[in-house]
PDB file of all heavy atoms in Angstrom:
ATOM      1  N   PRO A   1     -37.747 -55.155  -1.807  1.00  0.00           N
ATOM      2  CA  PRO A   1     -38.369 -54.058  -1.056  1.00  0.00           C
ATOM      3  C   PRO A   1     -39.423 -53.292  -1.845  1.00  0.00           C
ATOM      4  O   PRO A   1     -39.337 -53.164  -3.057  1.00  0.00           O
ATOM      5  CB  PRO A   1     -37.190 -53.141  -0.709  1.00  0.00           C
ATOM      6  CG  PRO A   1     -36.128 -53.487  -1.678  1.00  0.00           C
ATOM      7  CD  PRO A   1     -36.345 -54.918  -2.095  1.00  0.00           C
ATOM      8  N   VAL A   2     -40.419 -52.822  -1.115  1.00  0.00           N
ATOM      9  CA  VAL A   2     -41.421 -51.906  -1.647  1.00  0.00           C
ATOM     10  C   VAL A   2     -41.244 -50.606  -0.867  1.00  0.00           C
ATOM     11  O   VAL A   2     -41.296 -50.605   0.353  1.00  0.00           O
ATOM     12  CB  VAL A   2     -42.854 -52.446  -1.449  1.00  0.00           C
ATOM     13  CG1 VAL A   2     -43.874 -51.417  -1.889  1.00  0.00           C
ATOM     14  CG2 VAL A   2     -43.039 -53.754  -2.197  1.00  0.00           C
ATOM     15  N   HIS A   3     -40.994 -49.529  -1.576  1.00  0.00           N
ATOM     16  CA  HIS A   3     -40.807 -48.232  -0.935  1.00  0.00           C
ATOM     17  C   HIS A   3     -42.112 -47.461  -1.037  1.00  0.00           C
ATOM     18  O   HIS A   3     -42.713 -47.393  -2.102  1.00  0.00           O
ATOM     19  CB  HIS A   3     -39.687 -47.446  -1.624  1.00  0.00           C
ATOM     20  CG  HIS A   3     -38.388 -48.168  -1.603  1.00  0.00           C
ATOM     21  ND1 HIS A   3     -37.524 -48.079  -0.534  1.00  0.00           N
ATOM     22  CD2 HIS A   3     -37.814 -49.017  -2.494  1.00  0.00           C
ATOM     23  CE1 HIS A   3     -36.463 -48.818  -0.773  1.00  0.00           C
ATOM     24  NE2 HIS A   3     -36.619 -49.403  -1.961  1.00  0.00           N
ATOM     25  N   ARG A   4     -42.526 -46.858   0.082  1.00  0.00           N
ATOM     26  CA  ARG A   4     -43.771 -46.107   0.112  1.00  0.00           C
ATOM     27  C   ARG A   4     -43.506 -44.742   0.723  1.00  0.00           C
ATOM     28  O   ARG A   4     -42.723 -44.605   1.634  1.00  0.00           O
ATOM     29  CB  ARG A   4     -44.812 -46.825   0.959  1.00  0.00           C
ATOM     30  CG  ARG A   4     -45.150 -48.173   0.439  1.00  0.00           C
ATOM     31  CD  ARG A   4     -46.106 -48.875   1.363  1.00  0.00           C
ATOM     32  NE  ARG A   4     -46.370 -50.193   0.822  1.00  0.00           N
ATOM     33  CZ  ARG A   4     -47.252 -51.005   1.304  1.00  0.00           C
ATOM     34  NH1 ARG A   4     -47.979 -50.669   2.347  1.00  0.00           N
ATOM     35  NH2 ARG A   4     -47.441 -52.181   0.765  1.00  0.00           N
ATOM     36  N   ARG A   5     -44.249 -43.782   0.208  1.00  0.00           N
ATOM     37  CA  ARG A   5     -44.133 -42.422   0.748  1.00  0.00           C
ATOM     38  C   ARG A   5     -45.451 -41.710   0.530  1.00  0.00           C
ATOM     39  O   ARG A   5     -46.121 -41.937  -0.474  1.00  0.00           O
ATOM     40  CB  ARG A   5     -43.002 -41.686   0.039  1.00  0.00           C
ATOM     41  CG  ARG A   5     -42.684 -40.329   0.577  1.00  0.00           C
ATOM     42  CD  ARG A   5     -42.053 -40.422   1.957  1.00  0.00           C
ATOM     43  NE  ARG A   5     -42.111 -39.151   2.618  1.00  0.00           N
ATOM     44  CZ  ARG A   5     -41.070 -38.345   2.763  1.00  0.00           C
ATOM     45  NH1 ARG A   5     -39.893 -38.676   2.301  1.00  0.00           N
ATOM     46  NH2 ARG A   5     -41.216 -37.200   3.381  1.00  0.00           N
ATOM     47  N   ALA A   6     -45.829 -40.838   1.462  1.00  0.00           N
ATOM     48  CA  ALA A   6     -47.062 -40.056   1.344  1.00  0.00           C
ATOM     49  C   ALA A   6     -46.779 -38.610   1.739  1.00  0.00           C
ATOM     50  O   ALA A   6     -45.974 -38.353   2.636  1.00  0.00           O
ATOM     51  CB  ALA A   6     -48.148 -40.647   2.233  1.00  0.00           C
ATOM     52  N   TRP A   7     -47.455 -37.685   1.040  1.00  0.00           N
ATOM     53  CA  TRP A   7     -47.311 -36.261   1.318  1.00  0.00           C
ATOM     54  C   TRP A   7     -48.685 -35.611   1.372  1.00  0.00           C
ATOM     55  O   TRP A   7     -49.487 -35.762   0.447  1.00  0.00           O
ATOM     56  CB  TRP A   7     -46.522 -35.560   0.230  1.00  0.00           C
ATOM     57  CG  TRP A   7     -45.126 -36.027   0.054  1.00  0.00           C
ATOM     58  CD1 TRP A   7     -44.009 -35.576   0.701  1.00  0.00           C
ATOM     59  CD2 TRP A   7     -44.663 -37.029  -0.864  1.00  0.00           C
ATOM     60  NE1 TRP A   7     -42.900 -36.237   0.242  1.00  0.00           N
ATOM     61  CE2 TRP A   7     -43.278 -37.137  -0.718  1.00  0.00           C
ATOM     62  CE3 TRP A   7     -45.313 -37.862  -1.794  1.00  0.00           C
ATOM     63  CZ2 TRP A   7     -42.512 -38.026  -1.455  1.00  0.00           C
ATOM     64  CZ3 TRP A   7     -44.561 -38.753  -2.528  1.00  0.00           C
ATOM     65  CH2 TRP A   7     -43.173 -38.827  -2.355  1.00  0.00           C
ATOM     66  N   LEU A   8     -48.943 -34.856   2.412  1.00  0.00           N
ATOM     67  CA  LEU A   8     -50.138 -34.031   2.507  1.00  0.00           C
ATOM     68  C   LEU A   8     -49.879 -32.778   1.681  1.00  0.00           C
ATOM     69  O   LEU A   8     -48.832 -32.131   1.823  1.00  0.00           O
ATOM     70  CB  LEU A   8     -50.409 -33.661   3.968  1.00  0.00           C
ATOM     71  CG  LEU A   8     -51.613 -32.767   4.231  1.00  0.00           C
ATOM     72  CD1 LEU A   8     -52.906 -33.489   3.845  1.00  0.00           C
ATOM     73  CD2 LEU A   8     -51.642 -32.364   5.700  1.00  0.00           C
ATOM     74  N   LEU A   9     -50.823 -32.448   0.789  1.00  0.00           N
ATOM     75  CA  LEU A   9     -50.638 -31.312  -0.114  1.00  0.00           C
ATOM     76  C   LEU A   9     -51.640 -30.204   0.184  1.00  0.00           C
ATOM     77  O   LEU A   9     -52.777 -30.480   0.566  1.00  0.00           O
ATOM     78  CB  LEU A   9     -50.824 -31.767  -1.565  1.00  0.00           C
ATOM     79  CG  LEU A   9     -49.883 -32.865  -2.040  1.00  0.00           C
ATOM     80  CD1 LEU A   9     -50.322 -33.382  -3.397  1.00  0.00           C
ATOM     81  CD2 LEU A   9     -48.447 -32.357  -2.087  1.00  0.00           C
ATOM     82  N   CYS A  10     -51.218 -28.981  -0.044  1.00  0.00           N
ATOM     83  CA  CYS A  10     -52.129 -27.850   0.093  1.00  0.00           C
ATOM     84  C   CYS A  10     -53.168 -27.912  -1.026  1.00  0.00           C
ATOM     85  O   CYS A  10     -52.899 -28.435  -2.104  1.00  0.00           O
ATOM     86  CB  CYS A  10     -51.360 -26.532   0.040  1.00  0.00           C
ATOM     87  SG  CYS A  10     -50.426 -26.285  -1.481  1.00  0.00           S
ATOM     88  N   HIS A  11     -54.340 -27.403  -0.766  1.00  0.00           N
ATOM     89  CA  HIS A  11     -55.424 -27.405  -1.755  1.00  0.00           C
ATOM     90  C   HIS A  11     -55.360 -26.100  -2.539  1.00  0.00           C
ATOM     91  O   HIS A  11     -56.238 -25.241  -2.446  1.00  0.00           O
ATOM     92  CB  HIS A  11     -56.770 -27.577  -1.039  1.00  0.00           C
ATOM     93  CG  HIS A  11     -57.888 -27.921  -1.959  1.00  0.00           C
ATOM     94  ND1 HIS A  11     -58.698 -26.974  -2.508  1.00  0.00           N
ATOM     95  CD2 HIS A  11     -58.304 -29.112  -2.431  1.00  0.00           C
ATOM     96  CE1 HIS A  11     -59.594 -27.559  -3.274  1.00  0.00           C
ATOM     97  NE2 HIS A  11     -59.371 -28.861  -3.245  1.00  0.00           N
ATOM     98  N   ARG A  12     -54.299 -25.961  -3.324  1.00  0.00           N
ATOM     99  CA  ARG A  12     -54.043 -24.745  -4.094  1.00  0.00           C
ATOM    100  C   ARG A  12     -53.443 -25.139  -5.437  1.00  0.00           C
ATOM    101  O   ARG A  12     -52.905 -26.230  -5.580  1.00  0.00           O
ATOM    102  CB  ARG A  12     -53.061 -23.842  -3.353  1.00  0.00           C
ATOM    103  CG  ARG A  12     -53.529 -23.418  -1.975  1.00  0.00           C
ATOM    104  CD  ARG A  12     -52.438 -22.671  -1.217  1.00  0.00           C
ATOM    105  NE  ARG A  12     -51.860 -21.601  -2.002  1.00  0.00           N
ATOM    106  CZ  ARG A  12     -52.251 -20.331  -1.959  1.00  0.00           C
ATOM    107  NH1 ARG A  12     -53.203 -19.981  -1.142  1.00  0.00           N
ATOM    108  NH2 ARG A  12     -51.673 -19.422  -2.714  1.00  0.00           N
ATOM    109  N   PRO A  13     -53.493 -24.263  -6.423  1.00  0.00           N
ATOM    110  CA  PRO A  13     -52.927 -24.583  -7.736  1.00  0.00           C
ATOM    111  C   PRO A  13     -51.455 -24.997  -7.690  1.00  0.00           C
ATOM    112  O   PRO A  13     -51.004 -25.787  -8.508  1.00  0.00           O
ATOM    113  CB  PRO A  13     -53.101 -23.289  -8.533  1.00  0.00           C
ATOM    114  CG  PRO A  13     -54.254 -22.602  -7.884  1.00  0.00           C
ATOM    115  CD  PRO A  13     -54.165 -22.951  -6.414  1.00  0.00           C
ATOM    116  N   GLU A  14     -50.701 -24.524  -6.708  1.00  0.00           N
ATOM    117  CA  GLU A  14     -49.278 -24.843  -6.600  1.00  0.00           C
ATOM    118  C   GLU A  14     -49.021 -26.280  -6.161  1.00  0.00           C
ATOM    119  O   GLU A  14     -47.888 -26.751  -6.183  1.00  0.00           O
ATOM    120  CB  GLU A  14     -48.593 -23.904  -5.600  1.00  0.00           C
ATOM    121  CG  GLU A  14     -48.679 -22.446  -5.955  1.00  0.00           C
ATOM    122  CD  GLU A  14     -49.989 -21.792  -5.515  1.00  0.00           C
ATOM    123  OE1 GLU A  14     -50.639 -22.270  -4.559  1.00  0.00           O
ATOM    124  OE2 GLU A  14     -50.381 -20.798  -6.141  1.00  0.00           O
ATOM    125  N   ALA A  15     -50.053 -26.995  -5.744  1.00  0.00           N
ATOM    126  CA  ALA A  15     -49.892 -28.350  -5.208  1.00  0.00           C
ATOM    127  C   ALA A  15     -49.264 -29.299  -6.229  1.00  0.00           C
ATOM    128  O   ALA A  15     -48.435 -30.136  -5.871  1.00  0.00           O
ATOM    129  CB  ALA A  15     -51.232 -28.895  -4.732  1.00  0.00           C
ATOM    130  N   ALA A  16     -49.643 -29.197  -7.490  1.00  0.00           N
ATOM    131  CA  ALA A  16     -49.111 -30.115  -8.500  1.00  0.00           C
ATOM    132  C   ALA A  16     -47.603 -29.943  -8.666  1.00  0.00           C
ATOM    133  O   ALA A  16     -46.865 -30.926  -8.765  1.00  0.00           O
ATOM    134  CB  ALA A  16     -49.828 -29.928  -9.834  1.00  0.00           C
ATOM    135  N   GLY A  17     -47.129 -28.718  -8.684  1.00  0.00           N
ATOM    136  CA  GLY A  17     -45.691 -28.473  -8.803  1.00  0.00           C
ATOM    137  C   GLY A  17     -44.923 -29.005  -7.613  1.00  0.00           C
ATOM    138  O   GLY A  17     -43.871 -29.639  -7.766  1.00  0.00           O
ATOM    139  N   LEU A  18     -45.431 -28.768  -6.420  1.00  0.00           N
ATOM    140  CA  LEU A  18     -44.792 -29.285  -5.209  1.00  0.00           C
ATOM    141  C   LEU A  18     -44.795 -30.814  -5.223  1.00  0.00           C
ATOM    142  O   LEU A  18     -43.786 -31.451  -4.895  1.00  0.00           O
ATOM    143  CB  LEU A  18     -45.512 -28.768  -3.967  1.00  0.00           C
ATOM    144  CG  LEU A  18     -45.007 -29.296  -2.632  1.00  0.00           C
ATOM    145  CD1 LEU A  18     -43.549 -28.912  -2.411  1.00  0.00           C
ATOM    146  CD2 LEU A  18     -45.881 -28.776  -1.508  1.00  0.00           C
ATOM    147  N   ALA A  19     -45.904 -31.415  -5.617  1.00  0.00           N
ATOM    148  CA  ALA A  19     -46.000 -32.876  -5.680  1.00  0.00           C
ATOM    149  C   ALA A  19     -44.980 -33.447  -6.663  1.00  0.00           C
ATOM    150  O   ALA A  19     -44.329 -34.461  -6.379  1.00  0.00           O
ATOM    151  CB  ALA A  19     -47.415 -33.287  -6.066  1.00  0.00           C
ATOM    152  N   ARG A  20     -44.807 -32.814  -7.816  1.00  0.00           N
ATOM    153  CA  ARG A  20     -43.826 -33.280  -8.793  1.00  0.00           C
ATOM    154  C   ARG A  20     -42.403 -33.206  -8.225  1.00  0.00           C
ATOM    155  O   ARG A  20     -41.615 -34.136  -8.409  1.00  0.00           O
ATOM    156  CB  ARG A  20     -43.897 -32.457 -10.085  1.00  0.00           C
ATOM    157  CG  ARG A  20     -45.070 -32.804 -10.969  1.00  0.00           C
ATOM    158  CD  ARG A  20     -44.960 -32.135 -12.336  1.00  0.00           C
ATOM    159  NE  ARG A  20     -44.831 -30.688 -12.263  1.00  0.00           N
ATOM    160  CZ  ARG A  20     -45.860 -29.842 -12.235  1.00  0.00           C
ATOM    161  NH1 ARG A  20     -47.105 -30.288 -12.254  1.00  0.00           N
ATOM    162  NH2 ARG A  20     -45.652 -28.532 -12.187  1.00  0.00           N
ATOM    163  N   ARG A  21     -42.080 -32.127  -7.552  1.00  0.00           N
ATOM    164  CA  ARG A  21     -40.731 -31.988  -6.978  1.00  0.00           C
ATOM    165  C   ARG A  21     -40.467 -33.058  -5.930  1.00  0.00           C
ATOM    166  O   ARG A  21     -39.399 -33.680  -5.913  1.00  0.00           O
ATOM    167  CB  ARG A  21     -40.539 -30.589  -6.386  1.00  0.00           C
ATOM    168  CG  ARG A  21     -40.391 -29.504  -7.445  1.00  0.00           C
ATOM    169  CD  ARG A  21     -39.995 -28.167  -6.863  1.00  0.00           C
ATOM    170  NE  ARG A  21     -40.980 -27.606  -5.970  1.00  0.00           N
ATOM    171  CZ  ARG A  21     -42.063 -26.908  -6.343  1.00  0.00           C
ATOM    172  NH1 ARG A  21     -42.293 -26.711  -7.637  1.00  0.00           N
ATOM    173  NH2 ARG A  21     -42.891 -26.412  -5.450  1.00  0.00           N
ATOM    174  N   ARG A  22     -41.430 -33.292  -5.068  1.00  0.00           N
ATOM    175  CA  ARG A  22     -41.250 -34.314  -4.030  1.00  0.00           C
ATOM    176  C   ARG A  22     -41.155 -35.716  -4.632  1.00  0.00           C
ATOM    177  O   ARG A  22     -40.340 -36.530  -4.213  1.00  0.00           O
ATOM    178  CB  ARG A  22     -42.371 -34.229  -3.012  1.00  0.00           C
ATOM    179  CG  ARG A  22     -42.232 -32.970  -2.177  1.00  0.00           C
ATOM    180  CD  ARG A  22     -43.214 -32.893  -1.073  1.00  0.00           C
ATOM    181  NE  ARG A  22     -42.901 -31.742  -0.247  1.00  0.00           N
ATOM    182  CZ  ARG A  22     -43.729 -31.229   0.625  1.00  0.00           C
ATOM    183  NH1 ARG A  22     -44.927 -31.772   0.794  1.00  0.00           N
ATOM    184  NH2 ARG A  22     -43.387 -30.190   1.351  1.00  0.00           N
ATOM    185  N   ALA A  23     -42.003 -35.996  -5.619  1.00  0.00           N
ATOM    186  CA  ALA A  23     -41.972 -37.304  -6.272  1.00  0.00           C
ATOM    187  C   ALA A  23     -40.637 -37.509  -6.995  1.00  0.00           C
ATOM    188  O   ALA A  23     -40.049 -38.598  -6.924  1.00  0.00           O
ATOM    189  CB  ALA A  23     -43.140 -37.439  -7.243  1.00  0.00           C
ATOM    190  N   ARG A  24     -40.155 -36.488  -7.690  1.00  0.00           N
ATOM    191  CA  ARG A  24     -38.875 -36.601  -8.400  1.00  0.00           C
ATOM    192  C   ARG A  24     -37.748 -36.956  -7.432  1.00  0.00           C
ATOM    193  O   ARG A  24     -36.967 -37.876  -7.676  1.00  0.00           O
ATOM    194  CB  ARG A  24     -38.529 -35.313  -9.138  1.00  0.00           C
ATOM    195  CG  ARG A  24     -37.148 -35.368  -9.804  1.00  0.00           C
ATOM    196  CD  ARG A  24     -36.777 -34.071 -10.493  1.00  0.00           C
ATOM    197  NE  ARG A  24     -37.629 -33.783 -11.613  1.00  0.00           N
ATOM    198  CZ  ARG A  24     -37.542 -34.375 -12.805  1.00  0.00           C
ATOM    199  NH1 ARG A  24     -36.633 -35.307 -13.021  1.00  0.00           N
ATOM    200  NH2 ARG A  24     -38.353 -34.039 -13.785  1.00  0.00           N
ATOM    201  N   THR A  25     -37.659 -36.249  -6.324  1.00  0.00           N
ATOM    202  CA  THR A  25     -36.608 -36.521  -5.342  1.00  0.00           C
ATOM    203  C   THR A  25     -36.707 -37.950  -4.820  1.00  0.00           C
ATOM    204  O   THR A  25     -35.715 -38.673  -4.739  1.00  0.00           O
ATOM    205  CB  THR A  25     -36.700 -35.511  -4.178  1.00  0.00           C
ATOM    206  OG1 THR A  25     -36.513 -34.201  -4.704  1.00  0.00           O
ATOM    207  CG2 THR A  25     -35.663 -35.795  -3.109  1.00  0.00           C
ATOM    208  N   PHE A  26     -37.911 -38.380  -4.484  1.00  0.00           N
ATOM    209  CA  PHE A  26     -38.148 -39.733  -3.987  1.00  0.00           C
ATOM    210  C   PHE A  26     -37.693 -40.782  -5.006  1.00  0.00           C
ATOM    211  O   PHE A  26     -37.013 -41.750  -4.665  1.00  0.00           O
ATOM    212  CB  PHE A  26     -39.644 -39.884  -3.661  1.00  0.00           C
ATOM    213  CG  PHE A  26     -40.051 -41.241  -3.194  1.00  0.00           C
ATOM    214  CD1 PHE A  26     -39.743 -41.682  -1.918  1.00  0.00           C
ATOM    215  CD2 PHE A  26     -40.788 -42.071  -4.029  1.00  0.00           C
ATOM    216  CE1 PHE A  26     -40.149 -42.939  -1.481  1.00  0.00           C
ATOM    217  CE2 PHE A  26     -41.200 -43.326  -3.607  1.00  0.00           C
ATOM    218  CZ  PHE A  26     -40.878 -43.761  -2.328  1.00  0.00           C
ATOM    219  N   LEU A  27     -38.047 -40.594  -6.274  1.00  0.00           N
ATOM    220  CA  LEU A  27     -37.707 -41.566  -7.309  1.00  0.00           C
ATOM    221  C   LEU A  27     -36.222 -41.530  -7.663  1.00  0.00           C
ATOM    222  O   LEU A  27     -35.613 -42.580  -7.908  1.00  0.00           O
ATOM    223  CB  LEU A  27     -38.555 -41.329  -8.555  1.00  0.00           C
ATOM    224  CG  LEU A  27     -40.061 -41.547  -8.351  1.00  0.00           C
ATOM    225  CD1 LEU A  27     -40.832 -41.051  -9.561  1.00  0.00           C
ATOM    226  CD2 LEU A  27     -40.376 -42.991  -8.033  1.00  0.00           C
ATOM    227  N   GLU A  28     -35.622 -40.352  -7.695  1.00  0.00           N
ATOM    228  CA  GLU A  28     -34.190 -40.252  -7.981  1.00  0.00           C
ATOM    229  C   GLU A  28     -33.375 -40.955  -6.904  1.00  0.00           C
ATOM    230  O   GLU A  28     -32.360 -41.597  -7.204  1.00  0.00           O
ATOM    231  CB  GLU A  28     -33.764 -38.798  -8.119  1.00  0.00           C
ATOM    232  CG  GLU A  28     -34.220 -38.177  -9.432  1.00  0.00           C
ATOM    233  CD  GLU A  28     -33.930 -36.696  -9.540  1.00  0.00           C
ATOM    234  OE1 GLU A  28     -33.628 -36.032  -8.508  1.00  0.00           O
ATOM    235  OE2 GLU A  28     -34.016 -36.174 -10.672  1.00  0.00           O
ATOM    236  N   ARG A  29     -33.811 -40.863  -5.665  1.00  0.00           N
ATOM    237  CA  ARG A  29     -33.105 -41.550  -4.567  1.00  0.00           C
ATOM    238  C   ARG A  29     -33.186 -43.070  -4.699  1.00  0.00           C
ATOM    239  O   ARG A  29     -32.386 -43.782  -4.121  1.00  0.00           O
ATOM    240  CB  ARG A  29     -33.648 -41.099  -3.224  1.00  0.00           C
ATOM    241  CG  ARG A  29     -33.234 -39.691  -2.888  1.00  0.00           C
ATOM    242  CD  ARG A  29     -33.708 -39.272  -1.531  1.00  0.00           C
ATOM    243  NE  ARG A  29     -33.246 -37.919  -1.272  1.00  0.00           N
ATOM    244  CZ  ARG A  29     -33.790 -37.110  -0.387  1.00  0.00           C
ATOM    245  NH1 ARG A  29     -34.817 -37.514   0.347  1.00  0.00           N
ATOM    246  NH2 ARG A  29     -33.314 -35.905  -0.214  1.00  0.00           N
ATOM    247  N   ARG A  30     -34.163 -43.537  -5.458  1.00  0.00           N
ATOM    248  CA  ARG A  30     -34.301 -44.970  -5.712  1.00  0.00           C
ATOM    249  C   ARG A  30     -33.706 -45.350  -7.052  1.00  0.00           C
ATOM    250  O   ARG A  30     -33.923 -46.439  -7.556  1.00  0.00           O
ATOM    251  CB  ARG A  30     -35.768 -45.386  -5.627  1.00  0.00           C
ATOM    252  CG  ARG A  30     -36.102 -45.694  -4.187  1.00  0.00           C
ATOM    253  CD  ARG A  30     -37.400 -45.071  -3.727  1.00  0.00           C
ATOM    254  NE  ARG A  30     -37.409 -45.032  -2.272  1.00  0.00           N
ATOM    255  CZ  ARG A  30     -36.989 -43.996  -1.550  1.00  0.00           C
ATOM    256  NH1 ARG A  30     -36.542 -42.921  -2.127  1.00  0.00           N
ATOM    257  NH2 ARG A  30     -37.022 -44.035  -0.240  1.00  0.00           N
ATOM    258  N   ARG A  31     -32.961 -44.438  -7.642  1.00  0.00           N
ATOM    259  CA  ARG A  31     -32.223 -44.640  -8.886  1.00  0.00           C
ATOM    260  C   ARG A  31     -33.119 -45.093 -10.049  1.00  0.00           C
ATOM    261  O   ARG A  31     -32.742 -45.941 -10.842  1.00  0.00           O
ATOM    262  CB  ARG A  31     -31.084 -45.629  -8.677  1.00  0.00           C
ATOM    263  CG  ARG A  31     -30.110 -45.203  -7.611  1.00  0.00           C
ATOM    264  CD  ARG A  31     -28.877 -46.043  -7.647  1.00  0.00           C
ATOM    265  NE  ARG A  31     -28.019 -45.960  -6.492  1.00  0.00           N
ATOM    266  CZ  ARG A  31     -27.385 -44.899  -6.039  1.00  0.00           C
ATOM    267  NH1 ARG A  31     -27.538 -43.751  -6.621  1.00  0.00           N
ATOM    268  NH2 ARG A  31     -26.598 -44.958  -4.989  1.00  0.00           N
ATOM    269  N   MET A  32     -34.294 -44.476 -10.141  1.00  0.00           N
ATOM    270  CA  MET A  32     -35.191 -44.745 -11.261  1.00  0.00           C
ATOM    271  C   MET A  32     -34.634 -44.076 -12.516  1.00  0.00           C
ATOM    272  O   MET A  32     -34.007 -43.016 -12.436  1.00  0.00           O
ATOM    273  CB  MET A  32     -36.586 -44.178 -10.986  1.00  0.00           C
ATOM    274  CG  MET A  32     -37.327 -44.868  -9.894  1.00  0.00           C
ATOM    275  SD  MET A  32     -37.895 -46.453 -10.499  1.00  0.00           S
ATOM    276  CE  MET A  32     -38.165 -47.284  -8.964  1.00  0.00           C
ATOM    277  N   ASP A  33     -34.883 -44.683 -13.660  1.00  0.00           N
ATOM    278  CA  ASP A  33     -34.426 -44.092 -14.913  1.00  0.00           C
ATOM    279  C   ASP A  33     -35.304 -42.884 -15.254  1.00  0.00           C
ATOM    280  O   ASP A  33     -36.436 -42.768 -14.798  1.00  0.00           O
ATOM    281  CB  ASP A  33     -34.450 -45.127 -16.043  1.00  0.00           C
ATOM    282  CG  ASP A  33     -35.855 -45.601 -16.344  1.00  0.00           C
ATOM    283  OD1 ASP A  33     -36.318 -46.560 -15.689  1.00  0.00           O
ATOM    284  OD2 ASP A  33     -36.493 -45.003 -17.222  1.00  0.00           O
ATOM    285  N   GLN A  34     -34.768 -42.002 -16.086  1.00  0.00           N
ATOM    286  CA  GLN A  34     -35.456 -40.739 -16.395  1.00  0.00           C
ATOM    287  C   GLN A  34     -36.784 -40.962 -17.111  1.00  0.00           C
ATOM    288  O   GLN A  34     -37.750 -40.242 -16.865  1.00  0.00           O
ATOM    289  CB  GLN A  34     -34.550 -39.821 -17.225  1.00  0.00           C
ATOM    290  CG  GLN A  34     -35.079 -38.415 -17.341  1.00  0.00           C
ATOM    291  CD  GLN A  34     -35.250 -37.738 -15.981  1.00  0.00           C
ATOM    292  OE1 GLN A  34     -34.343 -37.738 -15.161  1.00  0.00           O
ATOM    293  NE2 GLN A  34     -36.424 -37.174 -15.737  1.00  0.00           N
ATOM    294  N   HIS A  35     -36.868 -41.957 -17.973  1.00  0.00           N
ATOM    295  CA  HIS A  35     -38.118 -42.245 -18.676  1.00  0.00           C
ATOM    296  C   HIS A  35     -39.231 -42.602 -17.683  1.00  0.00           C
ATOM    297  O   HIS A  35     -40.357 -42.116 -17.798  1.00  0.00           O
ATOM    298  CB  HIS A  35     -37.899 -43.376 -19.684  1.00  0.00           C
ATOM    299  CG  HIS A  35     -39.131 -43.746 -20.430  1.00  0.00           C
ATOM    300  ND1 HIS A  35     -39.643 -42.967 -21.447  1.00  0.00           N
ATOM    301  CD2 HIS A  35     -39.974 -44.807 -20.300  1.00  0.00           C
ATOM    302  CE1 HIS A  35     -40.740 -43.528 -21.911  1.00  0.00           C
ATOM    303  NE2 HIS A  35     -40.963 -44.647 -21.234  1.00  0.00           N
ATOM    304  N   THR A  36     -38.905 -43.433 -16.708  1.00  0.00           N
ATOM    305  CA  THR A  36     -39.884 -43.812 -15.682  1.00  0.00           C
ATOM    306  C   THR A  36     -40.270 -42.605 -14.843  1.00  0.00           C
ATOM    307  O   THR A  36     -41.455 -42.380 -14.581  1.00  0.00           O
ATOM    308  CB  THR A  36     -39.316 -44.934 -14.788  1.00  0.00           C
ATOM    309  OG1 THR A  36     -39.043 -46.078 -15.604  1.00  0.00           O
ATOM    310  CG2 THR A  36     -40.285 -45.308 -13.682  1.00  0.00           C
TER     311      THR A  36
END
């Protein structure tokens, strides 16, 4: 399987933090190791 996900982000300085949180949740659900 190839898992894909996309998120529309606000055009504000806070976007990077929100993107990191969403990406972390997505990757943790796929049981990625912490280094990755």
Side-chain angles (χ1 to χ4, degrees):
V2 175
H3 301 274
R4 299 176 181 187
R5 185 69 197 256
W7 298 272
L8 179 65
L9 301 170
C10 59
H11 194 267
R12 301 173 50 94
E14 300 83 25
L18 176 61
R20 284 190 304 272
R21 287 189 297 277
R22 290 186 173 165
R24 176 182 294 283
T25 299
F26 178 74
L27 296 170
E28 286 174 345
R29 288 183 179 159
R30 274 134 199 93
R31 302 192 195 298
M32 292 286 160
D33 64 273
Q34 192 59 50
H35 179 75
T36 299

